[in-house]
């Protein structure tokens, strides 16, 4: 039998940030067997004998981020991102769990493919990786997948990828059927019939640039419809990425009715707006598109007041090949795993959000919604932890980012706040040097 | 008419001409003055200015064009440039090479000026960021067509001799029109009163904030207009139906004698071409004495010569710098 003391790690001299409390408190954590064994206000003297002691230097120790929306290139587009590179990027960003979207080649719409991801995700150097499965075959929106079997195989939630299910009857079927299995439906609410061939937010900027726009109505009409159907079916529903002020109103009303609804927003939509596109900068081309500054401000307020439950990176690696094109022809998507926390810290430094509010939406809430035992500093919970210094200034150099693709909208931007160490199930997998 | 020798040669403040927004008021006035001088030269008296001698101009057209391409070709050749037309259909672009790769290949051939038309908005700007020579936008998607706006302004200037307080009505497919966007910017910079007239389905979002007054009725919009500028209905850019039929469009938005009667009696009629007779303009109106459509084509060459000339000094400097 291994003596207990040598397997323990004591993280001392930290500011402990538990998302369920209002502000960080000084203290330390003892990790053993991958779990949080002890949380103490005074570990300097009480650390278990023989334990590896790590001095946190007074920096902030928080539960690792749970990113509910990540695109990788696995399977089919490994030149953009592998599970290994995504994992490295995540670690450098303090993300300890991520959910992979099924927008792959082939689409993850079959038990064997869920199994494929699960088996490839077991490398001890990786963060926790959970596959989300397609809710319709090939993400085509017209034929349901085997939700029951997929869930048994390990699909953590179900989605139709970046596209909404256009047909209301099909959506009703999906929600009714998924409810029986307690499955979570993560839906993008943008009506492509209304939004296509738009490539950015419809508005004055699109008018001036001569680019076709995607109106906010495309998002809110589908969201309204979905909420009616959730009311009808009672299925657990998560609006994957809302992007405008009007969607917040709809979500607020639905929550007032106690419907099983949550919603997410990407870090990009909280920190950037359509003006960033400037002269056709394709790294700001996303779906849903970046909206106006008024929308951004409303979304930040939505995070603060709890209307928005989850913030995601919407990490979407794309190579230069598909990004360095005229705006209309360029692919959408931006990477974000590594920059999500630093970008959100801008909202901390600007006084818009507290650290607890940030960690609620990037760690505690998504873990809860997905039913994962993480996202809290709690004895008995897995030691998925991030140690960060919210003050360190740095400049984003795309060549130093760990992701295989470099399509970051924060290209050469100034950041304040940096991840120092990341622990996954008690093992230190990242240390900033 | 002879050119004053002692006046310093006019040059644009920027190395490229990508958008009307890039032009200062001095740039605009300088270009229009220079173009007018050129337009007044007698082509038979051998007053050629070979300011582009020894320079290479490549016309890179990703979208078919007759008048703009030949106008640029003629302009370049009149100024002594070696002009090369890249036939996009037979080049590697149709073999899947990206715009950037094609651009880099062309750049390696060291042209002095690229004249580019592309079907995507912003494509010319993207290309300009990657090359070391001057770039002239000959139309990018629904974004900008600066030389068209300049030639329209010159045509208006010659007909009306002023811009201030002149009412210019731009009518038709505003949504898809780069000509409209460039013209609204240029003419409002010159203090003309710009109106746009179109069915709501052919207006871009927030049209009133583009700097023009918005009308959805020709009768109202044409009232008291000094200039009536018709636009082509761009069927090729419409992914779906914006108007139910050509005959309905002609009935309500086509320029005929009846609607034209609302404009001032001495109003001029313009069209950037190519015209769809019987769709946006009645054939008789197109050939009316008030029509300056042929003059527009003629001014096109003069304006493009002026643009090339105003960039030429920089091209020569660049060339000497690289030798």
């Amino acid at each position: 039998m291994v003596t207990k003391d040598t397997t323990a790690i004591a993280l001392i001299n930290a500011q402990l940030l538990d998302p369920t409390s209002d502000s960080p408190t000084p203290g330390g954590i003892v990790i053993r067997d991958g779990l949080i064994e002890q949380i103490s206000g005074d570990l300097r003297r009480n650390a278990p004998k023989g334990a590896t002691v790590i001095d946190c230097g007074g920096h902030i120790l928080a539960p690792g981020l749970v990113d509910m929306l990540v695109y990788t290139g696995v399977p089919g587009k490994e030149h953009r991102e592998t599970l290994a590179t995504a994992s490295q990027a995540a670690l450098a960003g303090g993300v300890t769990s991520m959910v992979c979207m099924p927008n792959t080649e082939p689409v993850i719409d079959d038990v064997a493919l869920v199994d494929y991801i699960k088996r490839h995700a077991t490398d001890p150097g990786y963060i926790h990786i959970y596959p989300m499965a397609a809710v319709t075959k090939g993400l085509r929106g017209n034929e349901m997948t085997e939700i029951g079997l997929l869930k048994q195989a390990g699909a953590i939630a179900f989605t139709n990828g970046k596209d909404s299910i256009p047909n209301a009857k099909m959506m009703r079927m999906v929600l009714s059927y998924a409810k029986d299995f307690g499955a979570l439906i993560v839906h993008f609410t943008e009506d492509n019939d209304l939004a296509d061939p738009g490539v950015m937010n419809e508005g004055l900027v699109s008018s001036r640039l001569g680019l076709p726009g995607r109106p906010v109505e495309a998002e809110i009409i589908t969201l309204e419809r979905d909420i009616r159907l959730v009311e009808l079916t009672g299925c657990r529903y998560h609006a994957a990425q809302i992007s405008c002020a009007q969607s917040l109103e709809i979500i607020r009303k639905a929550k007032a009715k106690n419907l099983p609804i949550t919603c997410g927003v990407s870090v990009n939509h909280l920190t950037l707006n359509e003006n960033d596109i400037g002269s056709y900068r394709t790294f700001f081309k996303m779906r849903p598109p970046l909206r106006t500054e008024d929308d951004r401000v409303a979304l930040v307020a939505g995070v603060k007041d709890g209307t928005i439950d989850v913030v995601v990176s919407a990490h979407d690696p794309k190579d230069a090949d598909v990004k360095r094109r005229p705006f209309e022809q360029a692919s959408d998507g931006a990477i974000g795993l590594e920059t999500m926390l630093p970008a959100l810290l801008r909202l901390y430094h600007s006084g818009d959000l507290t650290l607890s509010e940030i960690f609620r939406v990037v760690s505690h809430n998504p873990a809860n919604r997905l039913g994962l035992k993480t996202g809290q500093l709690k004895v008995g919970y897995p030691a998925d932890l991030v140690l960060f210094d919210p003050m360190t200034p740095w400049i984003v150099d795309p060549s130093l980012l760990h992701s295989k693709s470099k399509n970051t909208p924060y290209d050469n931007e100034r950041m304040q706040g940096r991840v120092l160490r990341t622990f996954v199930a008690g093992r230190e997998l990242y240390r900033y040097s | 008419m002879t050119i004053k020798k002692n006046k310093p040669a006019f040059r644009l403040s920027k190395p490229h001409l990508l958008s009307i927004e890039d032009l200062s008021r001095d740039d605009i006035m300088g270009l229009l003055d220079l173009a007018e001088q050129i337009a007044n030269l007698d082509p038979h008296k051998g007053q050629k200015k070979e300011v582009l001698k020894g320079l290479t101009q490549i016309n890179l057209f990703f979208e078919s064009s007759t008048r703009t391409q030949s106008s640029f070709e003629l302009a370049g050749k009149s100024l002594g440039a070696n002009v090369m037309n890249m036939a996009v259909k037979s080049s590697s672009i149709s073999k899947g090479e990206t715009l950037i790769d094609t651009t880099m290949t062309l750049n390696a051939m060291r042209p002095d000026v690229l004249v580019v038309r592309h079907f995507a908005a912003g494509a010319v700007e993207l290309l300009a960021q990657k090359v070391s020579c001057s770039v002239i936008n000959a139309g990018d998607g629904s974004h900008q067509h600066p030389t068209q706006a300049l030639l329209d302004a010159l045509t208006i200037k010659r007909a009306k001799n002023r811009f201030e307080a002149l009412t210019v009505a731009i009518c038709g497919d505003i949504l898809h029109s780069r000509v409209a966007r460039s013209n609204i910017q240029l003419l409002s910079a010159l203090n003309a009163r710009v109106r746009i007239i179109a069915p709501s389905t052919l207006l871009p979002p927030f049209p009133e904030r583009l700097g023009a007054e918005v009308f959805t009725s020709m009768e109202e919009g044409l009232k008291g207009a000094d200039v009536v500028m018709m636009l082509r209905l761009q069927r090729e850019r419409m992914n779906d139906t914006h108007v139910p039929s050509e005959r309905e469009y002609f009935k309500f938005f086509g320029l005929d004698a009846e609607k034209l009667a609302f404009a001032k009696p001495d109003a001029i009629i313009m069209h950037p071409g190519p015209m769809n007779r019987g769709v946006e303009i009645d054939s008789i109106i197109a050939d009316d004495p008030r029509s300056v459509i042929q003059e527009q084509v003629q001014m096109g060459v003069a304006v493009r010569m002026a643009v090339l000339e105003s960039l030429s000094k920089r091209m020569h400097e660049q060339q000497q710098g690289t030798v």
Side-chain angles (χ1 to χ4, degrees), chain B residues 74-269:
Chain B
L74 200 55
K77 282 181 175 163
S78 306
L79 295 174
N82 303 311
V83 183
M84 185 184 135
N85 287 316
M86 275 278 289
V88 169
K89 286 236 164 65
S90 61
S91 76
S92 41
I93 294 142
S94 54
K95 295 171 198 159
E97 191 179 60
T98 66
L99 175 65
I100 302 269
D101 290 336
T102 308
T103 306
M104 298 318 287
T105 309
L106 279 177
N107 192 45
M109 297 175 191
R110 295 190 185 281
D112 300 290
V113 58
L114 282 171
V115 178
V116 187
R117 167 170 290 189
H118 198 279
F119 45 83
V124 181
E125 206 160 323
L126 176 67
L127 190 147
Q129 289 161 8
K130 308 290 172 189
V131 295
S132 41
C133 66
S134 286
V135 175
I136 299 172
N137 184 358
D140 62 325
S142 309
H143 179 222
Q144 284 276 328
H145 193 352
T147 58
Q148 178 71 42
L150 287 163
L151 75 87
D152 287 341
L154 182 58
T155 310
I156 293 170
K157 192 178 176 223
R158 284 164 69 94
K160 299 286 178 189
N161 209 19
R162 68 185 166 107
F163 294 103
E164 285 79 13
L166 213 55
T167 301
V168 182
I170 307 175
C171 324
D173 188 354
I174 310 287
L175 176 64
H176 299 103
S177 178
R178 51 193 175 218
V179 176
R181 281 179 182 75
S182 289
N183 261 314
I184 293 169
Q185 286 170 357
L186 182 62
L187 293 170
S188 34
L190 292 167
N191 297 328
R193 285 197 296 252
V194 186
R195 296 177 182 172
I196 49 181
I197 313 171
S200 291
T201 49
L202 290 177
L203 283 171
F206 299 108
E208 68 287 350
R209 288 176 62 188
L210 290 176
E213 218 182 326
V214 186
F215 293 88
T216 53
S217 141
M218 286 287 272
E219 287 74 8
E220 282 171 37
L222 288 181
K223 237 171 246 169
D226 298 287
V227 177
V228 181
M229 190 184 292
M230 301 308 298
L231 298 173
R232 189 170 62 86
L233 193 62
Q234 298 198 40
R235 290 258 176 225
E236 73 279 8
R237 286 192 212 282
M238 296 188 189
N239 304 50
D240 33 53
T241 333
H242 291 67
V243 288
S245 73
E246 290 186 351
R247 75 171 184 184
E248 176 152 320
Y249 184 77
F250 180 68
K251 169 76 186 152
F252 293 99
F253 292 94
L255 187 68
D256 54 15
E258 217 174 293
K259 296 188 194 94
L260 185 58
F262 285 87
K264 282 196 184 149
D266 64 342
I268 55 168
I269 303 158

